[in-house]
Amino acid sequence: MEKFLNGLKRKTPSSSQNDLADLDDLPWDPADRKRISEYHVNQRNEVIRKYLIRGPCQPRGHIFKQSMVGGVLRRFNSAWFDQYPSWLEYSVKKDAAFCLNCYLFGDNACKGGRNDACIVDGFSSWNKFKKLSEHVGGVNSFHNNAVMKCENLMRQGQSIKDALHKQGDIMKNEYRIRLNASIDVPRFLLRQELPFRGHEEKEETANNGNFFELLKYTAEQNDVVSKAVLRNASGNNQMTSPIIQKDIVHCFSEELVKSIIEEIDHDVFGLLVDESADVSYKEQMVVVLRIVDKNGIVKERFISLTHVAETSSLSLNSAIDSLFAKHGLSITSCS
């Protein structure tokens, strides 16, 4: 037992793999945030994007704390938010200003020995407002490079992960279109009591049977369907094989029997059973329910065609019991 538990411990993922942040609980105040490099490597871009969507922390209605600077009481001016609306932040806890963009991409700068006040400690020299414009700097400044990185990250089309996600959505949509087309065709054929398959089902065959021909006709009439079915679908995902056709018909059968059971609604019904051999000389049993609907009309509903090993009463009764147990029905004999 101890050996088994030790094996489990060895297989337990490390905390660095499991310690993923809840993006909805990311700290709002800059003083409470941890560095981006402290987040899981697979989640950093998501954290950065979440902060960019939120926007900078700008408590405009806050009564900013006064402090003695250069012998004069000074404080943060909320009008500065209007001058730098996209990046300037204020920490209520630290009574200091920060730069959102540089925080998001500031770890590389700090590793190089740079300790910009707007990134790490916060800016609180309220008498030196020009320091904020100096922080922005020239075209190739760290701040402007950070702004560019944020803009590139927010361009969804440039993200490999988002590109794959979009590709996945496209494939799901095509699959849904293909599946709906493969369902609509059997629905029509079953309603008209038409056979599905032809003698040959190859591209060079003039007539491939009702299923393929109706699916091709549907594609010819609808460009959206045409782009997702037959030749335009991958070879192993065309939704046209005999197995798929049978599965779809089976689903129709299940839904139809379910609706018949709901129509009975726990009321009494009559049972009609007959048996005969098919062309392969296998015995088969047909089960039909006779009911009287709410309007007093007598209806007969076919619910099953089941192969049985033999036609003895015991074998037929066993097959009927299994069928009824499957659908939650019971038989009460009347003398």
Side-chain angles (χ1 to χ4, degrees), residues 4 24 30 35 48 63-64 68 77 80 100 125 129 149 185 210 220 223 228-229 231 268 278 281-282 288 304:
F4 175 73
D24 293 329
R35 292 189 176 185
I48 294 173
I63 299 176
F64 298 98
M68 191 66 70
N77 188 347
W80 298 343
L100 175 62
S125 300
F129 174 68
K149 290 177 182 179
V185 169
N210 291 328
E220 291 171 358
D223 291 337
V229 301
R231 293 183 180 180
V268 295
D278 60 16
Y281 301 104
K282 291 182 179 180
V288 176
S304 175

Side-chain angles (χ1 to χ4, degrees), residues 285 308-320:
M285 177 184 68
V308 291
E310 55 179 345
T311 59
S312 66
S313 298
L314 182 61
S315 177
L316 295 179
N317 286 337
S318 176
I320 293 172

